[in-house]
Amino acid sequence: MTLWGGIEGGGTKFVCAVADERLNILSEAVFPTESPEKTVEAIANFFFAQEQVLGPVSAYGVGSFGPLRRDPLGPGFMGIGNTPKAGWKGFALRRVLQERLGRPVALDTDVNCALQAEMKMGVAQGLRHVVYVTVGTGVGGGLCIDGRIVHGSAHSELGHMLVPKRPGDEAFPGVCPFHGDRCVEGLASGPALARRLGRPAQEVPAHDPIWQLQAHYLALMCHNLIQTLSPECIILGGGVMNQPGLLALVRSALRESLGGYCASEALLAKGHEVLVAPALAGRAGVLGALMLAQGVSQVGQTAPHVEWVE
Ligand code: ADP
Ligand code: ZN
């Protein structure tokens, strides 16, 4: 039996899973994100213990928080970039894991992994042009165009897209450490909501006017994504989207923002259905990481990185 290892690395926790060739998860564990060294040790111990029981793991895939360094000629290739997370900046995550685990390791962003999983097994099956957005502690996203995950020279940072402020919202300073109140993350992430409200967003009832404002900013981001990329659908996930009724508010704010115009008549005809909730919820990231493991195994250990296959 061929086994794959999947690792979803987040700012607060790492999810590890072993799966068979059909991506049935056979064993799973969650570790808090500590120093890079401690975290890698916990990951390695878990997989070594599983191998004793289940057999050898062929390859590993990692979907990680970012930013990730993806320039093959630059320093720290396939490691963590300029993160404020203590100890992690410049950590060569892929190389260290590969050395410790002794198997090929492929690395991509957590959101690209979630996107890939939703396209293969979730809500976007059969589509070729898809955007995945997570609205949580940060706002981030992954893009797939013509059936290929798009990285550019590193990877997209959708959450730092600039959006105009809604009249009446001028006083809010925003929470983005880089762009203040100018980007979506600064205006509409979970911490932005908490700062506006003085309490966690999940404690605020659905009828509160804050959700109209939140939907307005998320709709502007979706408007820009549609006009730039012409996707068939945008998946809106992340903790904040658990708010009951928020997806419906974003859908109607988007319709208003588009004003009846975008290049794809099919997309306009789809109307509300262009914005969808994820189907795999908390499992998307680790499933996408397992798919990445399958890909690296096919390409071989020496591949500097893996282009995801259609
Ligand atoms: P992370 O981004 O750290 O991976 P999540 O995607 O779970 O984590 O997002 C966490 C954020 O989602 C927090 O800011 C939290 O306040 C917010 N959140 C969680 N549940 C809800 C809810 N029902 N309504 C609105 N916000 C929520
Ligand atoms: Zn920003």
Side-chain angles (χ1 to χ4, degrees), residues 74-178:
F77 176 56
M78 285 301 193
I80 306 282
N82 188 15
T83 175
K85 197 149 183 57
W88 284 85
K89 181 179 170 182
F91 183 66
L93 182 59
R94 176 175 172 270
R95 181 177 57 74
V96 173
L97 279 173
Q98 195 155 279
E99 283 167 8
R100 190 73 183 86
L101 296 167
R103 299 282 195 285
V105 174
L107 175 71
D108 205 342
T109 60
D110 45 5
V111 281
N112 277 344
C113 286
L115 168 63
Q116 180 86 350
E118 290 290 350
M119 291 183 71
K120 287 267 169 70
M121 308 168 70
V123 69
Q125 287 176 61
L127 302 183
R128 291 170 53 78
H129 317 289
V130 181
V131 182
Y132 177 94
V133 176
T134 176
V135 187
T137 307
V139 179
L143 320 170
C144 182
I145 299 296
D146 290 324
R148 290 183 79 86
I149 303 280
V150 175
H151 290 102
S153 60
H155 54 80
S156 60
E157 288 278 8
L158 301 186
H160 297 282
M161 176 190 298
L162 303 187
V163 288
K165 260 188 142 177
R166 194 168 83 165
D169 193 28
E170 291 82 5
F172 181 62
V175 299
C176 177
F178 306 103

Side-chain angles (χ1 to χ4, degrees), residues 159-295:
H160 297 282
M161 176 190 298
L162 303 187
V163 288
K165 260 188 142 177
R166 194 168 83 165
D169 193 28
E170 291 82 5
F172 181 62
V175 299
C176 177
F178 306 103
H179 314 117
D181 63 349
R182 296 186 300 128
C183 69
V184 178
E185 184 164 305
L187 288 164
S189 59
L193 281 164
R195 176 138 185 201
R196 288 176 185 282
L197 296 159
R199 57 190 161 142
Q202 55 268 42
E203 292 175 15
V204 177
H207 58 75
D208 193 291
I210 191 77
W211 299 116
Q212 295 279 354
L213 183 66
Q214 178 71 5
H216 170 82
Y217 287 125
L218 296 181
L220 293 186
M221 175 181 63
C222 293
H223 174 124
N224 292 343
L225 289 168
I226 286 169
Q227 306 297 8
T228 308
L229 300 164
S230 201
E232 294 158 291
C233 88
I234 300 177
I235 305 167
L236 287 178
V240 172
M241 293 311 300
N242 289 330
Q243 178 62 32
L246 180 56
L247 179 61
L249 289 176
V250 185
R251 284 172 160 178
S252 64
L254 174 65
R255 191 176 45 211
E256 201 177 303
S257 179
L258 288 176
Y261 185 80
C262 76
S264 165
E265 284 165 29
L267 186 143
L268 278 180
K270 255 185 166 182
H272 272 169
E273 294 157 35
V274 171
L275 301 184
V276 296
L280 304 172
R283 279 279 169 90
V286 81
L287 284 169
L290 287 161
M291 291 175 191
L292 203 50
Q294 290 181 315

Side-chain angles (χ1 to χ4, degrees), residues 68-81 90 92 95 153-154 304-305:
L68 298 183
R69 291 180 170 161
R70 292 187 50 94
D71 177 1
L73 303 177
F77 176 56
M78 285 301 193
I80 306 282
R95 181 177 57 74
S153 60
H305 68 282

Side-chain angles (χ1 to χ4, degrees), residues 1-86:
M1 180 167 63
T2 309
L3 297 177
W4 310 109
I7 301 165
E8 184 190 6
T12 54
K13 64 180 193 301
F14 271 66
V15 181
C16 300
V18 180
D20 65 16
E21 54 269 83
R22 303 187 66 186
L23 296 190
N24 297 307
I25 294 180
L26 307 175
S27 149
E28 200 171 6
V30 180
F31 305 105
T33 307
E34 299 188 59
S35 70
E37 295 75 19
K38 271 193 180 168
T39 310
V40 166
E41 238 6 72
I43 293 168
N45 289 337
F46 166 74
F47 283 114
F48 292 153
Q50 295 312 309
E51 284 192 310
Q52 296 296 317
V53 182
L54 300 168
V57 172
S58 298
Y60 292 89
V62 186
S64 174
F65 70 90
L68 298 183
R69 291 180 170 161
R70 292 187 50 94
D71 177 1
L73 303 177
F77 176 56
M78 285 301 193
I80 306 282
N82 188 15
T83 175
K85 197 149 183 57

